[in-house]
């Protein structure tokens, strides 16, 4: 009987030991989980009070002719109407305004960008594109070459201007001329490509306004 009692007591102890909680592992010896890498991409520009955002699409260059695409997106909650040309202005590295002749349609800088404006109604999320065009020419050593380090663009003349982040300077040389194409509906992702220049830029006077 004593042997049976001892066996019963040992069995009870084994059952109790199996039910005992397992000691927690030593956390100090475990490697720390990796910290997610911080994103280095800049945040997109904020939506303006009138419900639009203007950004650069990239620059294409050929034989001294430059074309920079602009994208305007309706980031608001109501339709946005466009008809005409963007109104750009440039500042130098010291943020001082540059005197630039803005040429709607890009003549006499180049041909192929003189399509007349059409009325565009952008619903929320829809986009339009335009192009800025210029030639990097230095034809007069007495005139200082202009480099636009900062760009502001109004969607149309008379409307508020917004800063547009540049990947590089707008190197006008000493031409002092910046062409603009009319806004058109945009569904693509690539930058605007300029046409191949057919010859040297014309020097004929134009009735263009100066900024």
């Amino acid at each position: 009987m004593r042997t049976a009692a001892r066996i019963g007591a040992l069995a009870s102890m084994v059952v109790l030991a199996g039910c005992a909680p397992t000691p927690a592992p030593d956390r100090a010896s475990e490697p720390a989980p990796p910290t997610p890498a911080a994103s280095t991409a800049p945040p997109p520009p904020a939506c303006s009070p009138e419900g639009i955002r203007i950004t650069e699409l990239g620059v294409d260059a050929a034989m001294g002719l430059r074309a920079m695409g602009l994208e305007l997106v309706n980031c608001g909650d109501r339709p946005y109407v466009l008809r005409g040309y963007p109104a750009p202005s440039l500042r130098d590295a010291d943020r001082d305004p540059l005197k630039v002749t803005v040429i709607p349609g890009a003549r006499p800088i180049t041909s192929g960008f003189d399509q007349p404006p059409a009325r565009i109604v952008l619903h929320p999320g829809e986009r339009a594109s335009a192009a800025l065009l210029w030639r990097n020419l230095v034809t007069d050593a007495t005139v200082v070459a202009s480099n636009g380090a900062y760009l502001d663009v109004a969607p149309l003349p008379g409307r508020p201007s917004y800063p547009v982040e540049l990947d590089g300077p707008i190197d006008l040389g000493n031409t002092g001329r910046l062409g603009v194409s009319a806004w058109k509906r945009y569904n693509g992702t690539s930058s605007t490509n300029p046409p191949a220049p057919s010859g040297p830029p014309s020097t004929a006077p134009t009735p263009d306004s100066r900024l």
Side-chain angles (χ1 to χ4, degrees), residues 117-202:
R119 187 175 184 269
I120 303 171
V121 179
L122 299 177
H123 295 281
E126 293 184 335
R127 299 173 292 166
S129 69
L132 303 183
L133 301 112
W134 69 96
R135 288 187 183 272
N136 177 25
L137 293 178
V138 178
T139 57
D140 187 347
T142 65
V143 179
V144 178
S146 299
N147 279 321
Y150 298 93
L151 171 67
D152 298 292
V153 177
L156 295 170
R159 293 191 184 176
S161 294
Y162 304 101
V164 175
E165 190 75 22
L166 294 176
D167 288 336
I170 296 180
D171 50 348
L172 299 178
N174 57 20
T175 65
R177 298 182 301 193
L178 184 64
V180 292
S181 70
W183 290 111
K184 62 181 180 180
R185 190 172 297 277
Y186 178 66
N187 298 314
T189 57
S190 61
S191 63
T192 302
N193 296 320
S198 56
S202 169

Side-chain angles (χ1 to χ4, degrees), residues 85-100:
Y85 301 88
S89 58
L90 293 176
R91 291 171 288 149
D92 62 19
D94 296 325
R95 298 183 181 270
D96 294 326
L98 292 175
K99 183 178 288 187
V100 178

